[in-house]
Amino acid sequence: MTYCLGISVKEGLVLAADSRTNAGVDYISSYQKLFDFSIPGERVIVACVSGNLSVTQAVVQQLGQDIKTGAKDSLHTMPTMYEIARYIGYEIRKIHDEDRNWLDQDGIEFQCNFLVGGQLPGESPEVYLIYSQGNCIRATPETPFLQIGETKYGKPILDRTLTHESSLDAIAKCALLSIDSTMRSNISVGPPINMVLYEADSFEIRHRVQLQSSDPYLAKIRKYWEGALREATNNMPTPEWNRVSIDAEPDFSLE
């Protein structure tokens, strides 16, 4: 399991991912889940992955190979972010078609998802979620974030704090809090956390960070957030009790 998210606002993008792939009792492993395919000054393309590790690694390897060999269709030749998302979906389907029968024989789950965000000339920054079937959806001003992997624990923070008008600094903090809250509730999500911040129309990623669980900044925001939640809870109005009359001895007769 893993947790990745992409956030798209007026000022730009933030993409972040944890690195955990297995959290068994006696075996924990970590692999990079965030990949930068950008050409500084020309186009920005960042992808995050979740799901079957062999499938996602095969797809990422093929994406890189297409760039290296100068293939007609690659992340560096597609003219729009939508076509990039469709191209990645095609590569996912191709790997599935090659491996599906062998994985099915042993009952191995082979689903995967991709998040891809970036900006190409003539377009605004965008984030797409690409499903295991190869189709995709786009983040919108009404729903400015997309998630893959273990999404439920980190979603409430995003729902309550993000808007399309949020600043990049604000969404970066929200992204880290979302991932940290997920790590707190589910051992299958873990460090290091990789995050990139992209400023719209800069066509270069100037801000990136990798955080271990013991990182002083991560510990600081975790402590601040927990303290703020406790204070907010203590300051909330107390429920107004006894507003509804409840019979102490309900009548269970059949009459």
Side-chain angles (χ1 to χ4, degrees):
M1 187 57 73
T2 193
Y3 177 43
C4 310
L5 72 158
I7 306 171
S8 175
V9 296
K10 184 182 296 185
E11 293 184 7
L13 308 172
V14 164
L15 288 100
D18 83 317
S19 301
R20 182 156 295 172
T21 60
N22 190 293
V25 174
D26 57 356
Y27 179 65
I28 295 177
S29 60
S30 297
Y31 287 89
Q32 180 179 338
K33 298 296 185 70
L34 186 149
F35 304 90
D36 184 1
F37 297 97
S38 304
I39 305 176
E42 295 184 22
R43 59 177 57 201
V44 168
I45 304 168
V46 178
C48 300
V49 303
S50 72
N52 183 286
L53 185 61
S54 67
V55 174
T56 58
Q57 285 189 342
V59 174
V60 169
Q61 179 71 18
Q62 186 61 56
L63 298 178
Q65 189 69 14
D66 287 348
I67 293 172
K68 185 177 180 180
T69 60
K72 178 183 177 182
D73 294 334
S74 79
L75 296 176
H76 288 177
T77 63
M78 294 292 176
T80 66
M81 286 299 298
Y82 173 73
E83 289 176 83
I84 283 175
R86 294 296 295 175
Y87 158 67
I88 294 175
Y90 168 77
E91 295 296 341
I92 293 172
R93 287 196 295 266
K94 188 168 68 173
I95 296 298
H96 279 171
D97 289 343
E98 293 174 357
D99 296 346
R100 184 189 309 272
N101 290 339
W102 301 104
L103 295 172
D104 275 341
Q105 285 182 20
D106 291 325
I108 297 175
E109 175 64 47
F110 55 85
Q111 302 299 309
C112 70
N113 292 296
F114 275 64
L115 283 177
V116 59
Q119 185 178 20
L120 273 59
E123 295 189 321
S124 299
E126 293 183 317
V127 174
Y128 284 86
L129 188 162
I130 306 155
Y131 294 103
S132 194
Q133 295 77 13
N135 56 323
C136 62
I137 62 172
R138 179 175 62 89
T140 66
E142 296 76 22
T143 306
F145 67 90
L146 295 169
Q147 306 164 280
I148 56 176
E150 181 54 89
T151 62
K152 60 181 177 290
Y153 298 107
K155 189 174 185 294
I157 294 172
L158 305 176
D159 282 334
R160 292 177 179 273
T161 58
L162 291 183
T163 72
H164 188 61
E165 306 300 320
S166 299
S167 69
L168 287 176
D169 285 342
I171 68 173
K173 289 184 282 188
C174 287
L176 288 176
L177 286 171
S178 180
I179 293 180
D180 184 68
S181 295
T182 304
M183 292 194 301
R184 178 69 179 267
S185 298
N186 193 323
I187 193 175
S188 71
V189 176
I193 300 169
N194 290 291
M195 183 170 70
V196 299
L197 181 151
Y198 170 68
E199 298 168 301
D201 300 323
S202 66
F203 291 98
E204 183 179 359
I205 294 177
R206 300 167 182 164
H207 305 283
R208 63 183 76 230
V209 67
Q210 183 179 92
L211 300 172
Q212 300 290 342
S213 61
S214 59
D215 186 276
Y217 175 73
L218 196 57
K220 182 177 181 179
I221 66 168
R222 182 183 300 137
K223 181 178 179 180
Y224 184 90
W225 179 247
E226 291 174 352
L229 284 177
R230 282 193 294 269
E231 182 178 358
T233 301
N234 291 334
N235 291 335
M236 287 177 64
T238 301
E240 298 181 19
W241 303 107
N242 300 324
R243 296 185 63 181
V244 177
S245 177
I246 301 176
D247 293 335
E249 297 180 1
D251 182 5
F252 294 108
S253 66
L254 298 179
E255 299 181 357

